[in-house]
Amino acid sequence: TFRILYEASHPTNPPALETDADANVYLLRPDWGDYNSYLYRFLTADSYADPQITTIPGSAHGKFAMVLDQARGQLYYFSANNTFHIIGLDGTLRSSVGLLQPGPHAMLQYPLLCMDADGTLFAAWTTQKHDVYMYWDIHAMKSLDGGATWQTLSGRPLTLPVVADDTGPTDRISLDDEFEYHTWLSSFLAKDGKLHFMYQAQMPQAREHYVRYDIASGREDLRIQPRFGGGALSLCYLDGFLATDPTRPGSPLFAVGTGPE
């Protein structure tokens, strides 16, 4: 069964949602009226009534990601306007920085975030080629200290704001021969010491990629393409997602999407 916690009308997008160990609910949305974003905290102590609201100035964009860091008591918000924000679970805006910047070829378009069980934060994104409808390439990087500083997947320090496209210093997940075709990172997550990516390259014969990086070394150790599937079913579409039970080491990783079979 369900019950309504809150209703309102705003010029906005579908929100990002997180819950913590105490069953508090965190909702984050952009606003196209003032180009800020807003974090709503629905607290169990208040029976989820009258949410407490935090303003995140100048952060609105139609593409964005949020992830909860329970151990550090904070949330991370990555907006496609290149900004990255840390908000305490008490609603305090702790920091806002320019995380990425456009490169000569492309700019940030689709940001994603995930965390591993050891507290490493990962950011990944798809870029958009300048002045052309073309999803250009896919990149990732990591932070060991809760978003304060950033590194390549192998541990090389990065200076903010990081160039978002293939001319920048971050690890590129898409391949050299895929630049002139749409590549779109549908999902990624960290699980059991590995970083897992799923993306499609819309070539004349479409490629669906499952890519795995070893977190300790920061190196790719497995790539399955152009077909990603089992004996009877396979996935091959821009949209899709990866899911698992993060509380159970060794539990299955599920890839969900649509496909030709």
Side-chain angles (χ1 to χ4, degrees):
T1 61
F2 292 86
R3 68 182 176 95
I4 294 171
L5 298 184
Y6 182 81
E7 287 185 298
S9 295
H10 301 283
T12 189
N13 286 64
L17 288 168
E18 284 282 1
T19 58
D20 65 18
D22 297 318
N24 298 309
V25 177
Y26 304 90
L27 179 151
L28 197 149
R29 67 166 186 89
D31 192 288
W32 299 113
D34 58 16
Y35 290 89
N36 299 322
S37 300
Y38 293 90
L39 173 70
Y40 295 67
R41 296 185 301 125
F42 298 87
L43 306 180
T44 55
D46 299 330
S47 299
Y48 302 109
D50 301 322
Q52 300 176 21
I53 302 174
T54 299
T55 303
I56 308 169
S59 59
H61 196 284
K63 288 87 175 180
F64 52 92
M66 179 174 71
V67 70
L68 170 75
D69 186 341
Q70 181 79 50
R72 295 185 179 97
Q74 56 194 24
L75 294 151
Y76 307 111
Y77 173 44
F78 183 17
S79 172
N81 74 348
N82 293 305
T83 61
F84 176 79
H85 312 270
I86 302 175
I87 310 104
L89 298 188
D90 62 355
T92 302
L93 179 59
R94 295 180 175 176
S95 71
S96 296
V97 298
L99 188 63
L100 299 180
Q101 63 177 313
H105 297 154
M107 61 184 179
L108 168 64
Q109 187 61 226
Y110 288 96
L112 294 173
L113 293 170
C114 74
M115 290 192 69
D116 71 4
D118 296 328
T120 301
L121 173 65
F122 297 93
W125 60 93
T126 301
T127 65
Q128 164 71 38
K129 190 175 181 181
H130 296 308
D131 304 319
V132 178
Y133 173 53
M134 176 65 66
Y135 296 140
W136 181 246
D137 61 358
I138 298 166
H139 294 262
M141 61 185 182
K142 69 180 181 182
S143 173
L144 303 180
D145 53 11
T149 62
W150 291 85
Q151 306 175 2
T152 64
L153 297 182
S154 61
R156 183 160 52 91
L158 296 169
T159 300
L160 302 185
V162 178
V163 172
D165 69 10
D166 56 298
T167 67
T170 59
D171 296 85
R172 177 161 51 87
I173 310 304
S174 49
L175 301 181
D176 290 349
D177 65 348
E178 295 174 342
F179 280 119
E180 297 305 323
Y181 304 94
H182 290 296
T183 54
W184 196 79
L185 180 62
S186 55
S187 187
F188 88 127
L189 61 77
K191 173 75 172 179
D192 294 341
K194 305 291 183 180
L195 197 57
H196 309 266
F197 299 86
M198 185 169 72
Y199 81 91
Q200 189 193 51
Q202 287 189 334
M203 307 181 79
Q205 179 178 346
R207 297 173 179 171
E208 184 71 25
H209 291 258
Y210 165 72
V211 186
R212 191 180 72 189
Y213 272 68
D214 179 70
I215 290 176
S217 67
R219 295 179 180 177
E220 179 183 324
D221 64 7
L222 180 64
R223 184 180 292 261
I224 299 172
Q225 63 94 13
R227 183 179 184 274
F228 178 39
L233 298 174
S234 65
L235 305 178
C236 194
Y237 198 63
L238 284 180
D239 295 318
F241 64 92
L242 297 167
T244 191
D245 182 349
T247 67
R248 293 174 53 214
S251 59
L253 177 69
F254 298 95
V256 182
T258 61
E261 301 169 352

mmCIF file of all heavy atoms in Angstrom, residues 190-237:
data_model
loop_
_atom_site.group_PDB
_atom_site.id
_atom_site.type_symbol
_atom_site.label_atom_id
_atom_site.label_comp_id
_atom_site.label_asym_id
_atom_site.label_seq_id
_atom_site.Cartn_x
_atom_site.Cartn_y
_atom_site.Cartn_z
ATOM 1 N N ALA A 190 29.244 0.003 -8.356
ATOM 2 C CA ALA A 190 30.386 -0.655 -7.738
ATOM 3 C C ALA A 190 29.890 -1.852 -6.930
ATOM 4 O O ALA A 190 28.913 -1.751 -6.193
ATOM 5 C CB ALA A 190 31.133 0.311 -6.833
ATOM 6 N N LYS A 191 30.594 -2.993 -7.074
ATOM 7 C CA LYS A 191 30.166 -4.210 -6.393
ATOM 8 C C LYS A 191 31.343 -5.163 -6.259
ATOM 9 O O LYS A 191 32.005 -5.482 -7.247
ATOM 10 C CB LYS A 191 29.041 -4.873 -7.197
ATOM 11 C CG LYS A 191 28.596 -6.238 -6.712
ATOM 12 C CD LYS A 191 27.750 -6.154 -5.456
ATOM 13 C CE LYS A 191 27.156 -7.497 -5.115
ATOM 14 N NZ LYS A 191 26.341 -7.460 -3.885
ATOM 15 N N ASP A 192 31.635 -5.592 -5.038
ATOM 16 C CA ASP A 192 32.637 -6.634 -4.783
ATOM 17 C C ASP A 192 33.991 -6.322 -5.418
ATOM 18 O O ASP A 192 34.618 -7.172 -6.061
ATOM 19 C CB ASP A 192 32.131 -7.996 -5.277
ATOM 20 C CG ASP A 192 30.924 -8.486 -4.485
ATOM 21 O OD1 ASP A 192 30.695 -7.987 -3.366
ATOM 22 O OD2 ASP A 192 30.203 -9.367 -4.990
ATOM 23 N N GLY A 193 34.461 -5.095 -5.239
ATOM 24 C CA GLY A 193 35.776 -4.720 -5.727
ATOM 25 C C GLY A 193 35.852 -4.432 -7.210
ATOM 26 O O GLY A 193 36.946 -4.254 -7.754
ATOM 27 N N LYS A 194 34.713 -4.366 -7.879
ATOM 28 C CA LYS A 194 34.676 -4.103 -9.314
ATOM 29 C C LYS A 194 33.729 -2.945 -9.602
ATOM 30 O O LYS A 194 32.759 -2.708 -8.872
ATOM 31 C CB LYS A 194 34.203 -5.337 -10.091
ATOM 32 C CG LYS A 194 35.005 -6.600 -9.841
ATOM 33 C CD LYS A 194 36.421 -6.537 -10.402
ATOM 34 C CE LYS A 194 37.149 -7.869 -10.188
ATOM 35 N NZ LYS A 194 38.527 -7.837 -10.731
ATOM 36 N N LEU A 195 34.030 -2.236 -10.680
ATOM 37 C CA LEU A 195 33.170 -1.176 -11.174
ATOM 38 C C LEU A 195 32.566 -1.659 -12.486
ATOM 39 O O LEU A 195 33.296 -2.022 -13.417
ATOM 40 C CB LEU A 195 33.987 0.101 -11.385
ATOM 41 C CG LEU A 195 33.251 1.429 -11.524
ATOM 42 C CD1 LEU A 195 32.371 1.704 -10.306
ATOM 43 C CD2 LEU A 195 34.252 2.563 -11.718
ATOM 44 N N HIS A 196 31.248 -1.681 -12.556
ATOM 45 C CA HIS A 196 30.527 -2.304 -13.662
ATOM 46 C C HIS A 196 29.823 -1.226 -14.488
ATOM 47 O O HIS A 196 29.109 -0.376 -13.929
ATOM 48 C CB HIS A 196 29.494 -3.296 -13.134
ATOM 49 C CG HIS A 196 30.033 -4.289 -12.158
ATOM 50 N ND1 HIS A 196 30.479 -5.542 -12.534
ATOM 51 C CD2 HIS A 196 30.221 -4.207 -10.809
ATOM 52 C CE1 HIS A 196 30.900 -6.199 -11.462
ATOM 53 N NE2 HIS A 196 30.760 -5.416 -10.404
ATOM 54 N N PHE A 197 29.992 -1.263 -15.798
ATOM 55 C CA PHE A 197 29.389 -0.291 -16.713
ATOM 56 C C PHE A 197 28.538 -1.024 -17.748
ATOM 57 O O PHE A 197 28.869 -2.134 -18.180
ATOM 58 C CB PHE A 197 30.455 0.489 -17.482
ATOM 59 C CG PHE A 197 31.390 1.296 -16.636
ATOM 60 C CD1 PHE A 197 32.537 0.725 -16.089
ATOM 61 C CD2 PHE A 197 31.156 2.642 -16.393
ATOM 62 C CE1 PHE A 197 33.418 1.462 -15.316
ATOM 63 C CE2 PHE A 197 32.029 3.394 -15.630
ATOM 64 C CZ PHE A 197 33.160 2.808 -15.089
ATOM 65 N N MET A 198 27.463 -0.370 -18.199
ATOM 66 C CA MET A 198 26.648 -0.883 -19.291
ATOM 67 C C MET A 198 26.346 0.274 -20.238
ATOM 68 O O MET A 198 25.817 1.308 -19.819
ATOM 69 C CB MET A 198 25.358 -1.494 -18.753
ATOM 70 C CG MET A 198 24.498 -2.171 -19.818
ATOM 71 S SD MET A 198 23.145 -3.173 -19.112
ATOM 72 C CE MET A 198 22.060 -1.880 -18.518
ATOM 73 N N TYR A 199 26.718 0.115 -21.500
ATOM 74 C CA TYR A 199 26.418 1.170 -22.471
ATOM 75 C C TYR A 199 26.247 0.586 -23.857
ATOM 76 O O TYR A 199 26.701 -0.519 -24.158
ATOM 77 C CB TYR A 199 27.515 2.240 -22.465
ATOM 78 C CG TYR A 199 28.775 1.945 -23.251
ATOM 79 C CD1 TYR A 199 28.899 2.334 -24.584
ATOM 80 C CD2 TYR A 199 29.870 1.316 -22.654
ATOM 81 C CE1 TYR A 199 30.067 2.108 -25.304
ATOM 82 C CE2 TYR A 199 31.039 1.085 -23.355
ATOM 83 C CZ TYR A 199 31.132 1.475 -24.683
ATOM 84 O OH TYR A 199 32.295 1.238 -25.390
ATOM 85 N N GLN A 200 25.578 1.354 -24.700
ATOM 86 C CA GLN A 200 25.406 0.971 -26.097
ATOM 87 C C GLN A 200 26.147 1.929 -27.012
ATOM 88 O O GLN A 200 26.209 3.135 -26.756
ATOM 89 C CB GLN A 200 23.931 0.961 -26.508
ATOM 90 C CG GLN A 200 23.719 0.347 -27.898
ATOM 91 C CD GLN A 200 22.334 0.610 -28.458
ATOM 92 O OE1 GLN A 200 21.875 1.743 -28.491
ATOM 93 N NE2 GLN A 200 21.666 -0.438 -28.904
ATOM 94 N N ALA A 201 26.732 1.396 -28.069
ATOM 95 C CA ALA A 201 27.270 2.184 -29.172
ATOM 96 C C ALA A 201 26.386 1.935 -30.388
ATOM 97 O O ALA A 201 26.267 0.796 -30.847
ATOM 98 C CB ALA A 201 28.713 1.787 -29.470
ATOM 99 N N GLN A 202 25.776 3.003 -30.914
ATOM 100 C CA GLN A 202 24.805 2.860 -31.998
ATOM 101 C C GLN A 202 25.509 2.859 -33.349
ATOM 102 O O GLN A 202 25.296 3.728 -34.195
ATOM 103 C CB GLN A 202 23.757 3.969 -31.934
ATOM 104 C CG GLN A 202 22.772 3.794 -30.806
ATOM 105 C CD GLN A 202 21.619 4.779 -30.907
ATOM 106 O OE1 GLN A 202 21.739 5.860 -31.480
ATOM 107 N NE2 GLN A 202 20.496 4.420 -30.336
ATOM 108 N N MET A 203 26.318 1.844 -33.587
ATOM 109 C CA MET A 203 27.012 1.673 -34.851
ATOM 110 C C MET A 203 26.082 0.979 -35.847
ATOM 111 O O MET A 203 24.979 0.557 -35.467
ATOM 112 C CB MET A 203 28.289 0.877 -34.605
ATOM 113 C CG MET A 203 29.141 1.481 -33.500
ATOM 114 S SD MET A 203 30.677 0.618 -33.186
ATOM 115 C CE MET A 203 31.684 1.230 -34.530
ATOM 116 N N PRO A 204 26.479 0.843 -37.127
ATOM 117 C CA PRO A 204 25.604 0.148 -38.084
ATOM 118 C C PRO A 204 25.159 -1.222 -37.572
ATOM 119 O O PRO A 204 24.006 -1.615 -37.759
ATOM 120 C CB PRO A 204 26.486 0.042 -39.325
ATOM 121 C CG PRO A 204 27.368 1.247 -39.239
ATOM 122 C CD PRO A 204 27.659 1.425 -37.788
ATOM 123 N N GLN A 205 26.064 -1.951 -36.928
ATOM 124 C CA GLN A 205 25.677 -3.113 -36.135
ATOM 125 C C GLN A 205 25.873 -2.709 -34.676
ATOM 126 O O GLN A 205 26.997 -2.597 -34.187
ATOM 127 C CB GLN A 205 26.530 -4.337 -36.457
ATOM 128 C CG GLN A 205 26.135 -5.545 -35.620
ATOM 129 C CD GLN A 205 26.946 -6.789 -35.953
ATOM 130 O OE1 GLN A 205 27.639 -6.840 -36.979
ATOM 131 N NE2 GLN A 205 26.865 -7.790 -35.088
ATOM 132 N N ALA A 206 24.775 -2.447 -34.003
ATOM 133 C CA ALA A 206 24.836 -1.881 -32.644
ATOM 134 C C ALA A 206 25.628 -2.785 -31.704
ATOM 135 O O ALA A 206 25.523 -4.013 -31.757
ATOM 136 C CB ALA A 206 23.432 -1.672 -32.101
ATOM 137 N N ARG A 207 26.437 -2.150 -30.853
ATOM 138 C CA ARG A 207 27.194 -2.868 -29.826
ATOM 139 C C ARG A 207 26.600 -2.571 -28.450
ATOM 140 O O ARG A 207 26.419 -1.415 -28.097
ATOM 141 C CB ARG A 207 28.647 -2.412 -29.806
ATOM 142 C CG ARG A 207 29.452 -2.675 -31.047
ATOM 143 C CD ARG A 207 30.815 -1.999 -30.905
ATOM 144 N NE ARG A 207 31.677 -2.221 -32.048
ATOM 145 C CZ ARG A 207 32.840 -1.593 -32.234
ATOM 146 N NH1 ARG A 207 33.250 -0.697 -31.332
ATOM 147 N NH2 ARG A 207 33.576 -1.851 -33.294
ATOM 148 N N GLU A 208 26.319 -3.590 -27.703
ATOM 149 C CA GLU A 208 25.968 -3.434 -26.298
ATOM 150 C C GLU A 208 27.177 -3.876 -25.484
ATOM 151 O O GLU A 208 27.649 -5.005 -25.623
ATOM 152 C CB GLU A 208 24.755 -4.271 -25.924
ATOM 153 C CG GLU A 208 24.281 -4.068 -24.500
ATOM 154 C CD GLU A 208 23.626 -2.704 -24.270
ATOM 155 O OE1 GLU A 208 23.110 -2.117 -25.245
ATOM 156 O OE2 GLU A 208 23.618 -2.238 -23.122
ATOM 157 N N HIS A 209 27.692 -2.976 -24.643
ATOM 158 C CA HIS A 209 28.898 -3.254 -23.869
ATOM 159 C C HIS A 209 28.575 -3.509 -22.403
ATOM 160 O O HIS A 209 27.814 -2.745 -21.785
ATOM 161 C CB HIS A 209 29.858 -2.051 -23.902
ATOM 162 C CG HIS A 209 30.482 -1.781 -25.222
ATOM 163 N ND1 HIS A 209 31.771 -2.146 -25.528
ATOM 164 C CD2 HIS A 209 30.004 -1.141 -26.327
ATOM 165 C CE1 HIS A 209 32.061 -1.742 -26.751
ATOM 166 N NE2 HIS A 209 31.010 -1.138 -27.255
ATOM 167 N N TYR A 210 29.143 -4.547 -21.856
ATOM 168 C CA TYR A 210 29.319 -4.671 -20.415
ATOM 169 C C TYR A 210 30.813 -4.550 -20.164
ATOM 170 O O TYR A 210 31.612 -5.313 -20.708
ATOM 171 C CB TYR A 210 28.807 -6.007 -19.887
ATOM 172 C CG TYR A 210 29.295 -6.306 -18.486
ATOM 173 C CD1 TYR A 210 28.795 -5.615 -17.392
ATOM 174 C CD2 TYR A 210 30.295 -7.249 -18.271
ATOM 175 C CE1 TYR A 210 29.268 -5.867 -16.117
ATOM 176 C CE2 TYR A 210 30.769 -7.515 -16.994
ATOM 177 C CZ TYR A 210 30.252 -6.821 -15.923
ATOM 178 O OH TYR A 210 30.726 -7.067 -14.658
ATOM 179 N N VAL A 211 31.205 -3.558 -19.354
ATOM 180 C CA VAL A 211 32.614 -3.291 -19.100
ATOM 181 C C VAL A 211 32.849 -3.357 -17.593
ATOM 182 O O VAL A 211 32.080 -2.787 -16.811
ATOM 183 C CB VAL A 211 33.038 -1.908 -19.641
ATOM 184 C CG1 VAL A 211 34.546 -1.717 -19.484
ATOM 185 C CG2 VAL A 211 32.621 -1.748 -21.095
ATOM 186 N N ARG A 212 33.932 -4.026 -17.189
ATOM 187 C CA ARG A 212 34.249 -4.155 -15.769
ATOM 188 C C ARG A 212 35.663 -3.652 -15.504
ATOM 189 O O ARG A 212 36.595 -3.995 -16.230
ATOM 190 C CB ARG A 212 34.133 -5.617 -15.334
ATOM 191 C CG ARG A 212 34.190 -5.822 -13.821
ATOM 192 C CD ARG A 212 34.067 -7.293 -13.478
ATOM 193 N NE ARG A 212 35.279 -8.022 -13.829
ATOM 194 C CZ ARG A 212 35.395 -9.357 -13.793
ATOM 195 N NH1 ARG A 212 34.351 -10.090 -13.464
ATOM 196 N NH2 ARG A 212 36.538 -9.933 -14.118
ATOM 197 N N TYR A 213 35.792 -2.808 -14.471
ATOM 198 C CA TYR A 213 37.089 -2.320 -14.021
ATOM 199 C C TYR A 213 37.372 -2.875 -12.632
ATOM 200 O O TYR A 213 36.478 -2.957 -11.787
ATOM 201 C CB TYR A 213 37.097 -0.789 -13.944
ATOM 202 C CG TYR A 213 37.484 -0.099 -15.236
ATOM 203 C CD1 TYR A 213 36.649 -0.149 -16.346
ATOM 204 C CD2 TYR A 213 38.681 0.600 -15.345
ATOM 205 C CE1 TYR A 213 36.991 0.484 -17.522
ATOM 206 C CE2 TYR A 213 39.035 1.233 -16.515
ATOM 207 C CZ TYR A 213 38.193 1.172 -17.607
ATOM 208 O OH TYR A 213 38.547 1.801 -18.780
ATOM 209 N N ASP A 214 38.629 -3.240 -12.403
ATOM 210 C CA ASP A 214 39.069 -3.618 -11.070
ATOM 211 C C ASP A 214 39.308 -2.344 -10.267
ATOM 212 O O ASP A 214 40.091 -1.479 -10.677
ATOM 213 C CB ASP A 214 40.350 -4.453 -11.158
ATOM 214 C CG ASP A 214 40.862 -4.845 -9.792
ATOM 215 O OD1 ASP A 214 40.227 -5.669 -9.127
ATOM 216 O OD2 ASP A 214 41.912 -4.291 -9.383
ATOM 217 N N ILE A 215 38.630 -2.206 -9.123
ATOM 218 C CA ILE A 215 38.719 -0.955 -8.364
ATOM 219 C C ILE A 215 40.119 -0.757 -7.781
ATOM 220 O O ILE A 215 40.646 0.359 -7.773
ATOM 221 C CB ILE A 215 37.643 -0.931 -7.262
ATOM 222 C CG1 ILE A 215 36.251 -0.781 -7.914
ATOM 223 C CG2 ILE A 215 37.888 0.205 -6.272
ATOM 224 C CD1 ILE A 215 35.099 -0.831 -6.945
ATOM 225 N N ALA A 216 40.754 -1.808 -7.312
ATOM 226 C CA ALA A 216 42.073 -1.675 -6.678
ATOM 227 C C ALA A 216 43.124 -1.166 -7.659
ATOM 228 O O ALA A 216 43.938 -0.293 -7.329
ATOM 229 C CB ALA A 216 42.508 -3.008 -6.083
ATOM 230 N N SER A 217 43.123 -1.683 -8.884
ATOM 231 C CA SER A 217 44.127 -1.285 -9.872
ATOM 232 C C SER A 217 43.653 -0.157 -10.772
ATOM 233 O O SER A 217 44.466 0.529 -11.398
ATOM 234 C CB SER A 217 44.516 -2.488 -10.743
ATOM 235 O OG SER A 217 43.418 -2.895 -11.555
ATOM 236 N N GLY A 218 42.336 0.038 -10.888
ATOM 237 C CA GLY A 218 41.801 1.027 -11.802
ATOM 238 C C GLY A 218 41.908 0.632 -13.256
ATOM 239 O O GLY A 218 41.806 1.485 -14.141
ATOM 240 N N ARG A 219 42.026 -0.656 -13.521
ATOM 241 C CA ARG A 219 42.200 -1.122 -14.897
ATOM 242 C C ARG A 219 41.011 -1.959 -15.349
ATOM 243 O O ARG A 219 40.417 -2.693 -14.564
ATOM 244 C CB ARG A 219 43.482 -1.950 -15.004
ATOM 245 C CG ARG A 219 44.755 -1.152 -14.750
ATOM 246 C CD ARG A 219 45.985 -2.028 -14.857
ATOM 247 N NE ARG A 219 47.205 -1.263 -14.624
ATOM 248 C CZ ARG A 219 48.416 -1.803 -14.595
ATOM 249 N NH1 ARG A 219 48.583 -3.111 -14.784
ATOM 250 N NH2 ARG A 219 49.474 -1.032 -14.378
ATOM 251 N N GLU A 220 40.705 -1.842 -16.639
ATOM 252 C CA GLU A 220 39.674 -2.689 -17.228
ATOM 253 C C GLU A 220 40.129 -4.140 -17.203
ATOM 254 O O GLU A 220 41.247 -4.454 -17.613
ATOM 255 C CB GLU A 220 39.404 -2.239 -18.669
ATOM 256 C CG GLU A 220 38.356 -3.063 -19.388
ATOM 257 C CD GLU A 220 38.176 -2.642 -20.836
ATOM 258 O OE1 GLU A 220 38.267 -1.420 -21.128
ATOM 259 O OE2 GLU A 220 37.945 -3.537 -21.679
ATOM 260 N N ASP A 221 39.235 -5.043 -16.734
ATOM 261 C CA ASP A 221 39.609 -6.457 -16.717
ATOM 262 C C ASP A 221 38.608 -7.348 -17.445
ATOM 263 O O ASP A 221 38.818 -8.561 -17.543
ATOM 264 C CB ASP A 221 39.843 -6.958 -15.299
ATOM 265 C CG ASP A 221 38.606 -6.939 -14.415
ATOM 266 O OD1 ASP A 221 37.500 -6.664 -14.918
ATOM 267 O OD2 ASP A 221 38.739 -7.203 -13.202
ATOM 268 N N LEU A 222 37.527 -6.763 -17.968
ATOM 269 C CA LEU A 222 36.562 -7.562 -18.730
ATOM 270 C C LEU A 222 35.724 -6.631 -19.593
ATOM 271 O O LEU A 222 35.297 -5.570 -19.134
ATOM 272 C CB LEU A 222 35.650 -8.356 -17.797
ATOM 273 C CG LEU A 222 34.579 -9.236 -18.468
ATOM 274 C CD1 LEU A 222 35.230 -10.346 -19.290
ATOM 275 C CD2 LEU A 222 33.625 -9.814 -17.429
ATOM 276 N N ARG A 223 35.511 -7.025 -20.838
ATOM 277 C CA ARG A 223 34.606 -6.303 -21.743
ATOM 278 C C ARG A 223 33.872 -7.339 -22.580
ATOM 279 O O ARG A 223 34.500 -8.150 -23.257
ATOM 280 C CB ARG A 223 35.359 -5.318 -22.628
ATOM 281 C CG ARG A 223 34.427 -4.480 -23.530
ATOM 282 C CD ARG A 223 35.201 -3.509 -24.399
ATOM 283 N NE ARG A 223 35.835 -2.449 -23.634
ATOM 284 C CZ ARG A 223 35.342 -1.208 -23.494
ATOM 285 N NH1 ARG A 223 34.198 -0.884 -24.077
ATOM 286 N NH2 ARG A 223 35.996 -0.306 -22.802
ATOM 287 N N ILE A 224 32.553 -7.278 -22.533
ATOM 288 C CA ILE A 224 31.711 -8.156 -23.343
ATOM 289 C C ILE A 224 30.972 -7.271 -24.342
ATOM 290 O O ILE A 224 30.243 -6.361 -23.967
ATOM 291 C CB ILE A 224 30.700 -8.928 -22.472
ATOM 292 C CG1 ILE A 224 31.434 -9.823 -21.464
ATOM 293 C CG2 ILE A 224 29.768 -9.774 -23.343
ATOM 294 C CD1 ILE A 224 30.516 -10.477 -20.451
ATOM 295 N N GLN A 225 31.146 -7.546 -25.631
ATOM 296 C CA GLN A 225 30.491 -6.806 -26.712
ATOM 297 C C GLN A 225 30.759 -7.554 -28.016
ATOM 298 O O GLN A 225 31.704 -8.337 -28.081
ATOM 299 C CB GLN A 225 31.001 -5.347 -26.779
ATOM 300 C CG GLN A 225 32.465 -5.192 -27.082
ATOM 301 C CD GLN A 225 32.770 -5.001 -28.571
ATOM 302 O OE1 GLN A 225 31.889 -4.751 -29.388
ATOM 303 N NE2 GLN A 225 34.029 -5.143 -28.953
ATOM 304 N N PRO A 226 29.981 -7.439 -29.038
ATOM 305 C CA PRO A 226 28.845 -6.538 -29.232
ATOM 306 C C PRO A 226 27.527 -7.088 -28.671
ATOM 307 O O PRO A 226 26.544 -6.366 -28.618
ATOM 308 C CB PRO A 226 28.764 -6.416 -30.742
ATOM 309 C CG PRO A 226 29.219 -7.752 -31.232
ATOM 310 C CD PRO A 226 30.313 -8.149 -30.272
ATOM 311 N N ARG A 227 27.525 -8.373 -28.258
ATOM 312 C CA ARG A 227 26.295 -8.959 -27.717
ATOM 313 C C ARG A 227 26.473 -9.169 -26.227
ATOM 314 O O ARG A 227 27.460 -9.759 -25.776
ATOM 315 C CB ARG A 227 25.984 -10.295 -28.392
ATOM 316 C CG ARG A 227 24.680 -10.931 -27.943
ATOM 317 C CD ARG A 227 24.419 -12.252 -28.668
ATOM 318 N NE ARG A 227 23.114 -12.800 -28.304
ATOM 319 C CZ ARG A 227 22.880 -13.563 -27.236
ATOM 320 N NH1 ARG A 227 23.880 -13.867 -26.413
ATOM 321 N NH2 ARG A 227 21.656 -14.014 -26.968
ATOM 322 N N PHE A 228 25.505 -8.692 -25.447
ATOM 323 C CA PHE A 228 25.521 -8.857 -24.002
ATOM 324 C C PHE A 228 24.234 -9.577 -23.603
ATOM 325 O O PHE A 228 23.144 -9.010 -23.665
ATOM 326 C CB PHE A 228 25.630 -7.491 -23.316
ATOM 327 C CG PHE A 228 25.601 -7.540 -21.813
ATOM 328 C CD1 PHE A 228 26.257 -8.541 -21.111
ATOM 329 C CD2 PHE A 228 24.920 -6.571 -21.097
ATOM 330 C CE1 PHE A 228 26.233 -8.572 -19.726
ATOM 331 C CE2 PHE A 228 24.892 -6.582 -19.710
ATOM 332 C CZ PHE A 228 25.549 -7.599 -19.027
ATOM 333 N N GLY A 229 24.364 -10.833 -23.266
ATOM 334 C CA GLY A 229 23.181 -11.599 -22.910
ATOM 335 C C GLY A 229 23.518 -13.045 -22.639
ATOM 336 O O GLY A 229 24.691 -13.438 -22.558
ATOM 337 N N GLY A 230 22.472 -13.845 -22.498
ATOM 338 C CA GLY A 230 22.622 -15.269 -22.262
ATOM 339 C C GLY A 230 22.306 -16.062 -23.504
ATOM 340 O O GLY A 230 22.417 -15.569 -24.623
ATOM 341 N N GLY A 231 21.879 -17.303 -23.309
ATOM 342 C CA GLY A 231 21.631 -18.158 -24.453
ATOM 343 C C GLY A 231 20.448 -17.733 -25.293
ATOM 344 O O GLY A 231 20.475 -17.833 -26.515
ATOM 345 N N ALA A 232 19.375 -17.225 -24.645
ATOM 346 C CA ALA A 232 18.159 -16.897 -25.371
ATOM 347 C C ALA A 232 17.855 -15.403 -25.414
ATOM 348 O O ALA A 232 17.183 -14.943 -26.328
ATOM 349 C CB ALA A 232 16.970 -17.638 -24.739
ATOM 350 N N LEU A 233 18.341 -14.638 -24.421
ATOM 351 C CA LEU A 233 17.999 -13.227 -24.320
ATOM 352 C C LEU A 233 19.254 -12.369 -24.341
ATOM 353 O O LEU A 233 20.291 -12.772 -23.802
ATOM 354 C CB LEU A 233 17.234 -12.945 -23.026
ATOM 355 C CG LEU A 233 15.882 -13.641 -22.853
ATOM 356 C CD1 LEU A 233 15.340 -13.367 -21.460
ATOM 357 C CD2 LEU A 233 14.893 -13.191 -23.912
ATOM 358 N N SER A 234 19.161 -11.201 -24.932
ATOM 359 C CA SER A 234 20.262 -10.248 -24.891
ATOM 360 C C SER A 234 19.693 -8.838 -24.797
ATOM 361 O O SER A 234 18.537 -8.596 -25.137
ATOM 362 C CB SER A 234 21.159 -10.376 -26.124
ATOM 363 O OG SER A 234 20.449 -10.025 -27.304
ATOM 364 N N LEU A 235 20.534 -7.902 -24.322
ATOM 365 C CA LEU A 235 20.162 -6.501 -24.198
ATOM 366 C C LEU A 235 20.839 -5.704 -25.301
ATOM 367 O O LEU A 235 22.003 -5.935 -25.604
ATOM 368 C CB LEU A 235 20.584 -5.948 -22.841
ATOM 369 C CG LEU A 235 20.091 -6.686 -21.596
ATOM 370 C CD1 LEU A 235 20.645 -6.019 -20.343
ATOM 371 C CD2 LEU A 235 18.581 -6.723 -21.554
ATOM 372 N N CYS A 236 20.118 -4.745 -25.876
ATOM 373 C CA CYS A 236 20.746 -3.866 -26.851
ATOM 374 C C CYS A 236 19.866 -2.641 -27.043
ATOM 375 O O CYS A 236 18.999 -2.599 -27.922
ATOM 376 C CB CYS A 236 20.968 -4.573 -28.187
ATOM 377 S SG CYS A 236 22.089 -3.664 -29.282
ATOM 378 N N TYR A 237 20.092 -1.634 -26.180
ATOM 379 C CA TYR A 237 19.314 -0.406 -26.246
ATOM 380 C C TYR A 237 20.050 0.651 -25.442
ATOM 381 O O TYR A 237 20.868 0.331 -24.573
ATOM 382 C CB TYR A 237 17.906 -0.632 -25.688
ATOM 383 C CG TYR A 237 16.900 0.419 -26.093
ATOM 384 C CD1 TYR A 237 16.561 0.590 -27.426
ATOM 385 C CD2 TYR A 237 16.281 1.218 -25.143
ATOM 386 C CE1 TYR A 237 15.630 1.552 -27.812
ATOM 387 C CE2 TYR A 237 15.348 2.178 -25.512
ATOM 388 C CZ TYR A 237 15.032 2.340 -26.855
ATOM 389 O OH TYR A 237 14.131 3.292 -27.225
#
